[in-house]
Amino acid sequence: MGTRVVVTGGGGFIGAYLVKRLVRDGWDVAVVDTMVRGDAGRLNPVADEVQLFSTDVRDQRELERAFKGADVVMHLAAINGTENFYKRPELVLDVGLRGALAVVNAGRSVGVPHLVVASTAEVYQTPAVVPTPETVPLMLPDSLNPRYSYGGSKIVSELIAFNYAREHYDRVQVFRPHNVYGPDMGWKHVIPQFISRALAGRRSKPPNEPIPFEIQGDGSETRAFCYVDDIVDGILTMYSNGGHREIYHIGNDEEVAVLDLARRVGRGLGLELDIRPGQAALGGTPRRCPDISKMRNLGYRPKVDLGEGLKRTIDWYVEHSADAVTNELL
């Protein structure tokens, strides 16, 4: 068998793509996921080749059982999605903080040599420098705003990874993914929400009539979206070529305004959107784009540009548009 890896949150969006890639590359793969937010169906193509532990990531004793014999633990389990940050901050914090402690301590207990931890671009909130390098100070601007439950939990998770693991692991790496997207990412993120709302507008408006389409803010806000396959490439490049006690941005530096993103989604669906600015979300960030020089120095190159990635994503969501109705998000 190949290298033994345990992926926590392997039924999640990034986790499932990572698991499938690891299996294809010949790794010996185990997944820790209760599938409360994950989806076991994402792993169907490799289900017979993956060992699944239906274990809560906060349960250290059960994690020790799952981690025995592992060469590396890749910890991706979290409660993600902006809607959850506002509506379920207690759960976001509980899973984020207690999960990080349990993972690091379980790995210590059973002698796992390598640890990879997923952080987030949310640790910067509104970064002082854009494109943003890994050295920019992390920020928690308002502890009263539940949005920061996620970014705050990831800041603490990084501290746990680098300090609890300091003398117990041969390699500890943290990656901060930036605005990952792609097919089957769920319905609580900006791109699938844009797609599902545009499709709903098409059903409710006469043909050839522009579809009213509200966005948060004036549309000048920017993001740099990275297709999920490129994120997975980055994780594996980092693990193979990166150093111990290092932090890496994994993303794409192709920046796009939210207004342009909405227009691209409309064009991809063959629809004309009447885009209407709205109130910006409290705690939103006007601009976000990673400096990926550190990853480029390891040999990482994003391969899927936004045009191609949106096409693949739109095609998947059109095919599964009935699921959006089921999830009552239209």
Side-chain angles (χ1 to χ4, degrees), residues 231-262:
I231 292 290
V232 170
D233 276 343
I235 295 169
L236 297 184
T237 298
M238 175 194 70
Y239 180 67
S240 176
N241 302 337
H244 174 45
R245 290 177 57 81
E246 293 284 352
I247 299 166
Y248 297 92
H249 282 169
I250 303 180
N252 199 327
D253 47 12
E254 179 187 0
E255 201 169 356
V256 62
V258 171
L259 181 62
D260 185 33
L261 176 69

Side-chain angles (χ1 to χ4, degrees), residues 29 31 71 84 93 109 115 166 203 219 222 271 274 294 315 320:
V29 183
V31 167
D71 298 291
N84 287 318
L93 284 163
S109 178
L115 175 68
R166 189 181 188 96
R203 288 191 291 268
T222 70
L271 302 174
D274 176 16
K294 191 172 179 181
D315 287 348
H320 295 83

Side-chain angles (χ1 to χ4, degrees), residues 10-28:
F13 171 49
I14 300 174
Y17 275 87
L18 176 61
V19 166
K20 287 180 282 189
R21 169 68 181 275
L22 289 166
V23 170
R24 288 197 301 269
D25 287 356
W27 295 55
D28 176 15

Side-chain angles (χ1 to χ4, degrees), residues 119 123-124 134-140 154-155 158 176:
S119 184
V123 297
Y124 301 114
E134 290 88 347
T135 52
V136 167
L138 312 187
M139 184 185 299
L140 183 66
K154 289 297 189 179
I155 291 173
E158 291 191 18
R176 296 174 183 156

Side-chain angles (χ1 to χ4, degrees), residues 29-242:
V29 183
V31 167
V32 169
D33 203 316
T34 59
M35 301 301 171
V36 170
R37 289 198 70 251
D39 180 355
R42 289 176 170 141
L43 300 177
N44 282 344
V46 295
D48 293 339
E49 302 169 83
V50 170
Q51 185 178 11
L52 176 62
F53 292 87
S54 298
T55 296
D56 191 308
V57 75
R58 295 165 288 187
D59 187 336
Q60 181 180 332
R61 181 171 295 179
E62 286 301 305
L63 289 180
E64 290 174 5
R65 185 172 68 88
F67 290 178
K68 283 182 180 177
D71 298 291
V72 54
V73 169
M74 296 187 176
H75 175 44
L76 279 70
I79 304 297
N80 203 344
T82 304
E83 186 174 324
N84 287 318
F85 307 162
Y86 287 105
K87 294 183 176 180
R88 308 182 75 188
E90 182 177 353
L91 181 63
V92 170
L93 284 163
D94 195 62
V95 172
L97 301 182
R98 293 208 293 134
L101 280 170
V103 165
V104 171
N105 285 329
R108 277 177 23 167
S109 178
V110 300
V112 177
H114 295 167
L115 175 68
V116 171
V117 174
S119 184
T120 174
E122 294 274 341
V123 297
Y124 301 114
Q125 304 310 326
T126 302
V129 178
V130 181
T132 306
E134 290 88 347
T135 52
V136 167
L138 312 187
M139 184 185 299
L140 183 66
D142 180 8
S143 58
L144 295 175
N145 186 338
R147 179 192 176 90
Y148 303 129
S149 56
Y150 184 66
S153 74
K154 289 297 189 179
I155 291 173
V156 177
S157 294
E158 291 191 18
L159 290 171
I160 290 169
F162 287 125
N163 292 288
Y164 274 66
R166 189 181 188 96
E167 298 176 359
H168 300 272
Y169 291 83
D170 299 327
R171 188 188 312 174
V172 178
Q173 297 170 325
V174 166
F175 68 93
R176 296 174 183 156
H178 284 248
N179 290 100
V180 190
Y181 75 102
D184 199 11
M185 69 180 297
W187 301 90
K188 295 184 178 182
H189 303 268
V190 61
I191 289 177
Q193 285 188 346
F194 276 13
I195 296 168
S196 61
R197 285 174 48 216
L199 289 172
R202 182 174 65 181
R203 288 191 291 268
S204 63
K205 297 291 291 185
N208 303 319
E209 188 172 315
I211 297 169
F213 194 88
E214 293 186 0
I215 59 173
Q216 291 185 339
D218 63 9
S220 65
E221 301 85 356
T222 70
R223 296 293 183 267
F225 292 94
C226 189
Y227 192 70
V228 62
D229 287 344
D230 284 333
I231 292 290
V232 170
D233 276 343
I235 295 169
L236 297 184
T237 298
M238 175 194 70
Y239 180 67
S240 176
N241 302 337

